[in-house]
């Protein structure tokens, strides 16, 4: 009997997941709408969690500017989040230019909800010494939620306030810039301001620049800063709008101990001829526990450690100075680190805590396998990141040491052959793409002769100092129209007589790919029907087969590949005499 009950529960859960629905929001939507494309909701109504929305559903937000302050109270489920997604990049704008209750343009409460592809801004603020309308772009206060591929700019406070209640939540793939205001004392408002106590917050693969305060401030006075994974972020010009010097890109510290801090594979850049406090600072006003800083690339900025730490790991980093007098690494007191592990780093043209490289090694006993160069790099270095959630999307950072007019970049990691693509300079997104084309494989030349930048809102006294980092440095957004493997927006399908889309069975989206365990497949069924879902290995063998019952419209299926060996698999869906499939790369843990 117990076994039978368990199977019934699993069947119900599977039915709920595979029968995910799509709902619609438009600027002219109404609280009395029913969420269809012909009778859409207004945005706040959809965020209030209408009773017909379930875990796994997608709320499509259509093109337009949504003026006001919004609060989400959506509750999805584990492995079946509710997704609030823009129908197209740059086209859905939340503008907090009207009074309203809340600390930000978008206030995230609830649980298990993903916010995807939105533009979050505020056009109603003074950014100088008489600043007004200081709301954050996003107040992130909900557990198990994600902010994915959003553009968050020109908000009067922080870009994102990432607070303690947001347990096990994530900021991924966002472009965060020009947030904060210029005070009489200093710049205020950080790109991301975070605190945490339980679980681990993820801040991954974002681009942050031109914040009025710090790029990323993980700081507290009476709270907690334990459990952060800061990985793959590209950061430059932190503090420039709010000061006449460059601020820290990343600060970890406060008046409570920092612990479980991981800072890996981030790409930082400071403009020359500007004073800087530090590029990356560990510690502030309290003793701390454990920090791991590995694989980062820092240009013209110091790695600075203050106060006591139980352990600091600093391995595989590259730190480059453009002047011989600059400090590559510095310490309040190196002996206050109880368990230092500095090794396999590459240092270029600067001092190490006031020492020469050999003197530093003798003093510290560290960096046995590290290297030092008395000259600057001469070979151009670039890193291309494939977006985990959206096929055909990626971020590119270029350190143009070779002083090239253009840099040739292999985009095959992001773009499929035949994909139409657009490449944007993140410093001037509003100007549109700097390059378009159809990808035919191989390398694409990207110009480094860029001069125009997008100024912060308001007439700031130092606007004349906003000059482009090119040709020395640049960050780019790549958007492709994938031929397979995902969609950027909901398909534009012809309506039937009742206004609902009608098309043959087909796969709409699947992610993440690669995966180590779960993969989510969205597919469209033209009617209610029984379908067979199979997992086929690279040898053509069926390794799993099950039956699902669809509804007409969009459906969702989640497959757990954790117990499968690494390799290529095809997940096929067969119904009404038609078979569709998607190709998945399963990686081992």
């Amino acid at each position: 009997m117990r076994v039978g009950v368990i199977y019934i529960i699993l069947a119900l859960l599977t039915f709920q997941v595979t029968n995910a629905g799509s709902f619609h929001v438009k600027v002219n939507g109404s609280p009395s709408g029913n969420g269809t494309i012909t009778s859409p909701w207004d945005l706040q109504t959809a965020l209030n969690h209408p009773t017909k929305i379930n875990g796994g559903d997608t709320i499509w937000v259509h093109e337009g500017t949504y003026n006001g302050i919004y609060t989400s109270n959506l509750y999805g489920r584990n492995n079946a989040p509710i997704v609030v997604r823009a129908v197209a990049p740059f086209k859905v704008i939340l503008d907090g230019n009207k009074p309203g209750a809340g600390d930000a343009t978008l206030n995230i409460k609830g649980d298990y909800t993903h916010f995807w592809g939105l533009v979050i801004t505020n056009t109603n603020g003074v950014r100088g010494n008489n600043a007004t309308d200081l709301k954050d772009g996003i107040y992130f206060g909900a557990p198990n939620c994600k902010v994915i591929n959003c553009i968050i700019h020109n908000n009067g406070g922080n870009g994102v306030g990432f607070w303690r209640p947001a347990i096990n939540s994530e900021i991924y793939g966002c472009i965060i810039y020009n947030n904060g205001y210029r005070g009489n004392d200093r710049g205020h408002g950080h790109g991301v301001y975070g605190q945490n106590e339980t679980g681990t917050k993820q801040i991954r693969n974002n681009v942050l620049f031109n914040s009025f305060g710090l790029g990323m401030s993980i700081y507290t006075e009476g709270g907690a800063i334990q459990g952060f994974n800061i990985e793959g972020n590209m950061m430059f010009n932190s503090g420039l709008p709010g000061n006449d010097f460059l601020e820290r890109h990343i600060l970890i510290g406060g008046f409570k101990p920092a612990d479980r801090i991981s800072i890996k594979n981030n790409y930082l850049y400071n403009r020359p001829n500007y004073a800087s406090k530090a590029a990356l600072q560990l510690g502030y006003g309290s003793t701390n526990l454990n920090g791991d800083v590995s694989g980062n690339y820092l240009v013209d900025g110091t790695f600075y450690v203050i106060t006591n730490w139980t352990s600091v790991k600093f391995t595989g980093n590259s730190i480059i100075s453009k002047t011989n007098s600059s400090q590559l690494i510095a310490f309040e007191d190196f002996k206050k680190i109880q368990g230092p592990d500095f090794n396999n780093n590459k240092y270029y043209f600067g001092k190490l805590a006031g020492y020469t490289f050999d003197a530093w090694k003798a003093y510290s006993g560290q960096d046995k396998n590290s290297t030092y160069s008395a000259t600057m790099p001469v070979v151009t270095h670039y890193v291309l990141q494939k977006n985990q959630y959206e096929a055909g999307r990626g971020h590119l950072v270029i350190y143009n040491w070779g002083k090239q007019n253009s840099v040739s970049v292999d985009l095959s990691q992001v773009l499929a052959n035949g994909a139409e693509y657009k490449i944007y300079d993140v410093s001037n997104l509003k100007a549109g793409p700097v390059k378009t084309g159809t990808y035919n494989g191989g390398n694409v030349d990207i110009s480094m002769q860029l001069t125009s930048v997008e100024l912060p809102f308001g007439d700031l006294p130092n606007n004349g100092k906003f000059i482009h980092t090119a040709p020395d440095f640049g960050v780019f957004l790549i958007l492709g129209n994938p031929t397979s493997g995902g969609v950027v927006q909901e398909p534009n399908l012809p309506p039937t007589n009742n206004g609902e889309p009608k098309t043959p069975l087909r796969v709409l989206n699947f992610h993440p790919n690669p995966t180590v365990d779960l993969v989510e497949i969205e597919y469209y069924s033209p009617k209610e029907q029984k379908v067979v879902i199979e997992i086929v290995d690279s040898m053509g063998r069926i390794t799993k087969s099950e039956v699902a019952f669809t509804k007409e419209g969009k459906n969702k299926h989640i497959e757990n590949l954790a117990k499968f060996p690494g390799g290529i698999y095809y997940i096929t869906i067969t119904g009404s005499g038609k078979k569709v499939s998607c190709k998945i790369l399963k990686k081992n843990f």
Side-chain angles (χ1 to χ4, degrees), residues 54-112:
N54 296 303
D57 289 346
T58 298
I59 299 171
W60 291 98
V61 187
H62 287 255
E63 180 175 342
T65 299
Y66 296 78
N67 297 304
I69 305 300
Y70 297 95
T71 298
S72 174
N73 291 291
L74 293 166
Y75 285 82
R77 302 192 313 274
N78 187 21
N79 296 330
I82 295 169
V83 178
V84 180
R85 188 170 182 184
V87 296
F90 312 126
K91 300 297 186 181
V92 177
I93 302 167
L94 275 59
D95 187 346
N97 62 1
K98 289 185 176 180
D103 297 300
T105 297
L106 176 61
N107 301 272
I108 301 177
K109 300 179 182 180
D111 203 347
Y112 289 111

Side-chain angles (χ1 to χ4, degrees), residues 93-420:
I93 302 167
L94 275 59
D95 187 346
N97 62 1
K98 289 185 176 180
D103 297 300
T105 297
L106 176 61
N107 301 272
I108 301 177
K109 300 179 182 180
D111 203 347
Y112 289 111
T113 306
H114 297 178
F115 299 86
W116 190 333
L118 307 171
V119 178
I120 313 292
T121 191
N122 190 333
T123 58
N124 190 36
V126 176
R127 315 304 299 283
N129 294 339
N130 298 314
T132 60
D133 210 337
L134 304 181
K135 292 183 184 294
D136 293 350
I138 296 178
Y139 181 96
F140 203 150
N144 307 305
C145 293
K146 298 178 187 288
V147 174
I148 301 169
N149 298 345
C150 291
I151 297 174
I152 305 161
H153 72 98
N154 284 288
N155 296 282
N158 303 297
V160 183
F162 203 13
W163 306 119
R164 275 199 291 175
I167 298 168
N168 294 326
S169 289
E170 179 174 33
I171 304 168
Y172 181 93
C174 297
I175 301 176
I176 305 171
Y177 66 98
N178 290 0
N179 295 290
Y181 72 96
R182 185 179 176 97
N184 289 313
D185 52 346
R186 58 182 173 84
H188 296 264
H190 313 303
V192 174
Y193 191 170
Q195 297 175 358
N196 193 60
E197 186 171 18
T198 303
T200 301
K201 279 186 167 67
Q202 306 286 337
I203 308 174
R204 300 190 300 128
N205 288 32
N206 304 285
V207 179
L208 300 96
F209 63 97
N210 286 1
S211 53
F212 282 69
L214 281 65
M216 206 176 287
S217 179
I218 311 303
Y219 172 88
T220 189
E221 295 182 1
I225 44 175
Q226 300 190 6
F228 281 90
N229 179 35
I230 300 168
E231 181 177 0
N233 301 285
M234 302 172 181
M235 306 176 69
F236 62 99
N237 284 1
S238 295
L240 184 60
N243 306 287
D244 291 319
F245 59 85
L246 293 173
E247 261 290 5
R248 291 147 289 191
H249 296 306
I250 303 174
L251 165 66
I252 309 289
F255 293 97
K256 296 291 182 179
D259 191 20
R260 298 186 290 116
I261 305 298
S262 177
I263 304 172
K264 294 185 177 181
N265 303 320
N266 299 281
Y267 306 93
L268 314 181
Y269 180 85
N270 276 344
R271 281 175 49 185
N273 304 319
Y274 272 81
S276 171
K277 289 185 176 181
L280 198 167
Q281 178 177 324
L282 291 188
Y284 189 83
S286 170
T287 59
N288 302 283
L289 298 172
N290 304 295
D292 183 351
V293 180
S294 301
N296 302 283
Y297 200 95
L298 285 70
V299 175
D300 260 11
T302 305
F303 172 57
Y304 183 34
V305 183
I306 64 175
T307 68
N308 300 60
W309 283 81
T310 301
S311 70
V312 173
K313 181 179 180 181
F314 188 76
T315 60
N317 302 285
S318 297
I319 309 187
I320 302 160
S321 172
K322 293 182 180 178
T323 63
N324 192 39
S325 60
S326 294
Q327 298 296 327
L328 299 169
I329 56 176
F331 307 89
E332 181 184 56
D333 184 348
F334 177 73
K335 302 302 183 182
K336 289 185 177 181
I337 304 175
Q338 300 175 34
D341 179 12
F342 285 56
N343 209 357
N344 296 307
N345 300 299
K346 296 180 180 179
Y347 301 106
Y348 294 84
F349 200 52
K351 302 295 184 183
L352 289 88
Y355 296 94
T356 64
F357 181 55
D358 289 336
W360 157 252
K361 290 197 294 182
Y363 162 74
S364 65
Q366 302 294 309
D367 281 312
K368 178 180 179 181
N369 299 312
S370 298
T371 62
Y372 178 85
S373 173
T375 59
M376 299 287 294
V378 295
V379 178
T380 292
H381 177 70
Y382 74 80
V383 175
L384 177 64
Q385 293 176 338
K386 179 180 179 180
N387 193 278
Q388 173 183 326
Y389 293 96
E390 193 170 309
R393 185 182 183 115
H395 291 156
L396 170 69
V397 60
I398 297 176
Y399 295 89
N400 189 19
W401 301 118
K403 305 294 184 182
Q404 300 165 243
N405 289 332
S406 65
V407 176
S408 183
V409 177
D410 182 355
L411 298 180
S412 61
Q413 179 184 343
V414 171
L415 298 178
N417 283 354
E420 296 180 0

